[in-house]
Amino acid sequence: MPDTPAAPVILGNEPGSFPHSVLAERHPAIIHQVREAFPYGPAQHRALDALLKNCTEGAVEPLPADAPDRRQWAAWGTDQYAGQSWYDVPWLWSESYFYRQLLGAVGYFDPGAWQGIDPFRPFKRAELDAPETDEELAALDALEGKSPEERGQALLHGSLWGNRADLGFRLSAAGAESAAQAPVPALVADDSDRLWSLLSGTLCLVADNAGRELIPDLLLIAHLLDRGRIERAVLHIKPHPYYVSDATTADVVDALHRLTAAPGAAAAYGRRLWSAMADGRLTVRAHPFSCAPLPYAEMPADLRAEFAAATLTIVKGDLNYRRLVGDRLWAPTTPFADVTACFPGPVAALRTLKSDVITGLDAGTEAALVAAEEQRWRTGGTHALIQVKGMSPTSVV
């Protein structure tokens, strides 16, 4: 980290805190949902019961001796944290390790009938197939009559808000202006002009969730390629299921099929993306570090070189933001450029606020948020940000 005053790492051991509720309430609920979503056998049920007891009452345990990634996870922290309470180790780490243990409990990595079966797939498919997705895709037709600049801005906001993409697609200049003038704006930081100014060459987009949140990311990429704003895009996704809804290669394929099967403009976007993958202008990358329980400051050399070679990297979503700036209780006014100084190239964060960590706010915005909502604004998903670290030439959409 740069010469910024140290901020404490976020733990989950404070009762009543958001991280504590995730560990004590959300994780047990996820175990229950996964159990009910598949006709697992006795072995999986016993393993899920054991995980439920362990993650709520027990201590961190290393992976089994025959786990294919045991050595990797030992280097990532199990050697350090084994024997400690799940609540007393860094929250980012305990959350990530929970999902790794969940995959182990359902046999995802083991030879057998359940190997490679995504335990979260039913939830992802239900969202992708929901009527709301049809409404959001239909909104693309109205964008066709807009200028490229207006279309680009709407698609950027669609990507920012994820499964509230319909709001982004319908965003008007007047609506954006009135939102910016609200006492507590939905967009608490907006470096979108700087983001547009940095686009050229190769764009890396580090995706977050699948389904209705991945589709807007793909639409934005399609627009940028079609307009010649970038020459090539690399979509970074997860090498295996992670955090319930995180995007994998299978989820990219599902999203593309959903687009190409839709009527109107959505299908045209889907065909352009399909073509871009076929000729190499769009590639999918699943680096193992994408599922690491660590901040990007600790990324391996090969991934660092990839991001360094990109003209711009866009980091999507709340978890990736936590990994980008470090999952710490920064003062909200800590400069974003300071906490991302170790990132090897220009980087932009598109994030809906769903956890405590936040940087880069001006003092007035923070004060207004606290006055209106106390600290609820940090975790409720009702606010978002676009933050950029990088050089800033003239802005063109």
Side-chain angles (χ1 to χ4, degrees), residues 206 296 299 304 307-308 313 315 324 340-347 389:
V206 182
Y296 281 110
M299 75 179 86
R304 180 172 291 275
F307 289 144
T313 298
V315 172
L324 177 64
T340 56
C342 61
F343 199 84
V347 62
K389 180 211 70 162

Side-chain angles (χ1 to χ4, degrees), residues 240-297:
H240 57 70
Y242 194 56
Y243 278 64
V244 181
S245 56
D246 285 27
T248 65
T249 303
D251 299 316
V252 174
V253 174
D254 284 345
L256 289 175
H257 279 298
R258 186 71 166 89
L259 282 171
T260 55
Y269 277 96
R271 289 191 295 271
R272 289 199 292 270
L273 288 161
W274 202 282
S275 175
M277 291 192 73
D279 63 26
R281 288 177 297 131
L282 171 58
T283 57
V284 176
R285 180 82 164 99
H287 194 284
F289 191 76
S290 294
C291 289
L294 304 171
Y296 281 110

Side-chain angles (χ1 to χ4, degrees), residues 71-205:
R71 291 181 63 184
Q72 179 66 84
W73 272 95
W76 283 347
T78 51
D79 280 356
Q80 178 180 356
Y81 299 128
Q84 298 186 47
S85 166
W86 289 78
Y87 296 87
D88 292 336
V89 302
W91 181 46
L92 175 63
W93 195 93
S94 58
E95 264 201 298
S96 299
Y97 196 54
F98 167 78
Y99 288 104
R100 170 57 186 87
Q101 291 284 47
L102 180 59
L103 291 178
V106 299
Y108 182 88
F109 295 106
D110 301 331
W114 295 102
Q115 185 176 38
I117 301 299
D118 183 349
F120 311 126
R121 182 170 172 78
F123 318 126
K124 296 175 180 178
R125 287 298 319 184
E127 183 183 274
L128 195 62
D129 295 336
E132 291 84 357
T133 307
D134 292 320
E135 296 171 12
E136 290 164 3
L137 295 180
L140 289 168
D141 294 339
L143 282 185
E144 292 304 289
K146 304 289 185 181
S147 70
E149 292 77 13
E150 291 174 306
R151 196 155 62 243
Q153 194 71 2
L155 293 172
L156 177 66
H157 279 259
S159 178
L160 169 66
W161 286 105
N163 61 16
R164 290 176 59 186
D166 55 326
L167 301 179
F169 291 155
R170 293 172 174 83
L171 187 72
S172 67
E177 184 177 342
S178 63
Q181 293 170 352
V184 185
L187 199 55
V188 299
D190 185 5
D191 293 341
S192 54
D193 284 348
R194 297 187 69 204
L195 186 154
W196 287 114
S197 74
L198 290 166
L199 287 168
S200 65
T202 297
L203 169 70
C204 285
L205 192 151

Side-chain angles (χ1 to χ4, degrees), residues 314-367:
I314 294 178
V315 172
K316 279 293 311 295
D318 197 78
L319 173 61
N320 284 324
Y321 187 88
R322 292 164 59 193
R323 297 185 70 197
L324 177 64
V325 306
D327 202 33
R328 295 173 175 267
L329 288 173
W330 300 108
T333 54
T334 304
F336 178 73
D338 286 0
V339 294
T340 56
C342 61
F343 199 84
V347 62
L350 270 61
R351 176 222 182 181
T352 304
L353 278 57
K354 298 178 182 177
S355 65
D356 290 307
V357 64
I358 183 72
T359 69
L361 297 190
D362 65 59
T365 298
E366 182 198 359

